[in-house]
Amino acid sequence: MVSRVRVWLNRTYAENVFFMDQLRSNPQRRAVEIHATHGDPDSPVLAAADTAAMEPEGLSPAAYVEYALDQCARHAIDVFVPVLHQSAIVAHRAEFAALGTALLAPTVEAVAVFQDKATAYQAVQAVGVPVPPWWRVRTPEELVAAVEALEADGHRACFKPAAGAGGVGFRVLTRTPFSMMHLNGFPSPYVPLDLVVEAMRQAEEPVDWLVMPRLAEPEVSVDCLTGPDGRVRMAVGRTKNGRRRGFTLHPSWIEPARLLAEAFGLHYLTNIQFRDFGDEPVLMDVNTRPAGGLHQLAQCGVNAPWAAVQLALGEETGELLPPTLAPDYTVVAGPRPVRPVSLPHQRTDAHAPAPTLPAVPAPAAEVTTAPATAPAASSAATPASAGASSAAIAPA
């Protein structure tokens, strides 16, 4: 009898509910139990898990590693998919292995290289993968010089943090003065250069940004599955152009992604993003974790999460080639459950009368010493008093 597999996802993004769905619907029909932890009690990954727990706040990376080791021991975790504090966790891979837990994450060296985008760009250029022109800036003067250099070549400048995930902190610089145009409609990534320069001058600490040209769509995110032996088992590109999504196996995107995965030890599930600069695909970013959109590969008949777990358990998957490339599609939001929680001061019986403050007569001293205007003052105070009572029993 094949035993069940116990998988833990620590604090991660909401889309990983689909990752969990795919683990359970694996083609081997293997029993999978999922443990999830998060800092947000309303994260849907907690509701989707078989067991769930809130993560303690304020832990240092070292303290979080101790917490993670304890979770793996307590819950007999077979495979741990770390997102939060990934770099600290992979540095202790041997300690997790001693507990019988495999880490579904790249090597410590790979995580270190791709934590910092400037370091990553230098490293990938050395193996022959092209990157866009870029400047690392920390001062207003460096920012202006980088923007002027890009504009001189006919490009629009943008910037993003040198370290960070996703699109957090990404902005496009414009020379257009701040006006109602920036306030009408939905928030925009466009920010006036002069306001950014002034904000940098007023900041207490220097920034650490990468400035580069705004790259045109389509964006191609290549989802890679690489074994601990360094051999790529799967590389499929997901294209994004506005609302339109699609899939590609074109070598111009796939071959550089495979090269990076094998050259840098990007084991298990990683996501490598490209856009065009002129007529050439250039690297935009490398995520050393499963992408939020990874589940979309199911449309092509590929269950990448389960294949990654198999590799982590030492089971060979062979080459994962999609049997078909699904037609173009778009993405829409849908409801997912959250865990039931008891809010402070919330009544569970909807028909129970609202609690009231006890009626206590005013002390005699207050009555005998009240001024002539006391009735009016008392009358005026009644609504405020009632409001205070209501506030005390209102649901949080």
Side-chain angles (χ1 to χ4, degrees):
M1 180 178 177
V2 179
S3 62
R4 63 97 172 95
V5 180
R6 187 88 166 136
V7 181
W8 174 28
L9 282 74
N10 74 340
R11 192 177 311 199
T12 187
Y13 30 92
E15 290 85 353
N16 263 346
V17 293
F18 303 114
F19 188 103
M20 298 157 77
D21 291 343
Q22 287 188 283
L23 290 182
R24 293 190 176 106
S25 61
N26 65 82
Q28 281 74 39
R29 298 184 180 179
R30 186 95 168 261
V32 176
E33 293 182 9
I34 299 174
H35 180 57
T37 58
H38 210 283
D40 179 3
D42 292 331
S43 170
V45 299
L46 297 181
D50 296 290
T51 61
M54 292 296 296
E55 293 189 356
E57 296 292 341
L59 294 183
S60 67
Y64 192 91
V65 170
E66 294 301 317
Y67 163 78
L69 287 166
D70 179 69
Q71 287 285 301
C72 289
R74 284 174 180 265
H75 297 278
I77 300 300
D78 298 303
V79 179
F80 176 20
V81 187
V83 173
L84 181 67
H85 292 311
Q86 186 191 64
S87 60
I89 288 165
V90 296
H92 294 265
R93 192 183 297 269
E95 294 172 50
F96 286 95
L99 296 174
T101 301
L103 297 182
L104 204 153
T107 64
V108 64
E109 295 82 8
V111 173
V113 167
F114 294 104
Q115 270 191 315
D116 182 278
K117 292 178 174 60
T119 302
Y121 280 0
Q122 291 172 335
V124 301
Q125 281 182 292
V127 299
V129 174
V131 300
W134 59 276
W135 289 257
R136 189 168 199 160
V137 305
R138 294 184 172 89
T139 68
E141 293 74 23
E142 291 174 343
L143 174 66
V144 171
V147 172
E148 289 178 346
L150 284 167
E151 290 178 342
D153 289 334
H155 303 299
R156 169 163 275 171
C158 63
F159 67 86
K160 58 185 176 181
V168 176
F170 172 80
R171 298 292 187 274
V172 182
L173 292 161
T174 176
R175 298 280 187 172
T176 305
F178 187 79
S179 68
M180 288 302 298
M181 178 190 71
H182 295 90
L183 300 177
N184 290 331
F186 293 102
S188 165
Y190 290 86
V191 290
L193 175 62
D194 58 340
L195 294 186
V196 176
V197 168
E198 183 59 28
M200 293 176 71
R201 287 176 176 150
Q202 295 182 11
E204 296 181 358
E205 297 180 0
V207 302
D208 188 7
W209 291 339
L210 256 60
V211 176
M212 61 187 64
R214 176 75 187 274
L215 302 174
E217 290 187 315
E219 178 179 313
V220 179
S221 293
V222 181
D223 293 309
C224 291
L225 173 63
T226 307
D229 58 359
R231 183 166 59 86
V232 174
R233 308 300 202 277
M234 179 201 78
V236 181
R238 289 182 289 111
T239 64
K240 181 173 72 172
N241 196 344
R243 286 182 182 270
R244 182 172 290 272
R245 304 287 192 271
F247 301 99
T248 182
L249 292 175
H250 196 282
S252 63
W253 314 102
I254 301 301
E255 291 309 314
R258 296 179 71 99
L259 171 61
L260 292 176
E262 293 178 349
F264 290 98
L266 290 171
H267 298 169
Y268 303 109
L269 290 168
T270 54
N271 178 256
I272 304 173
Q273 300 173 353
F274 300 90
R275 286 198 181 197
D276 277 335
F277 180 66
D279 297 327
E280 180 182 48
V282 294
L283 179 71
M284 192 167 65
D285 208 354
V286 174
N287 296 308
T288 59
R289 52 169 174 73
L294 177 69
H295 64 278
Q296 295 164 19
L297 294 185
Q299 297 180 82
C300 300
V302 175
N303 188 330
W306 176 246
V309 166
Q310 285 185 286
L311 288 176
L313 294 173
E315 302 170 8
E316 183 51 59
T317 64
E319 192 82 7
L320 263 69
L321 294 173
T324 183
L325 290 184
D328 288 358
Y329 62 102
T330 191
V331 176
V332 294
R336 292 289 299 204
V338 294
R339 297 175 75 198
V341 294
S342 298
L343 298 178
H345 310 297
Q346 187 175 32
R347 298 194 306 278
T348 55
D349 183 357
H351 302 290
T356 58
L357 295 179
V360 179
E366 291 186 12
V367 176
T368 56
T369 58
T373 56
S378 177
S379 175
T382 300
S385 204
S389 300
S390 299
I393 62 172

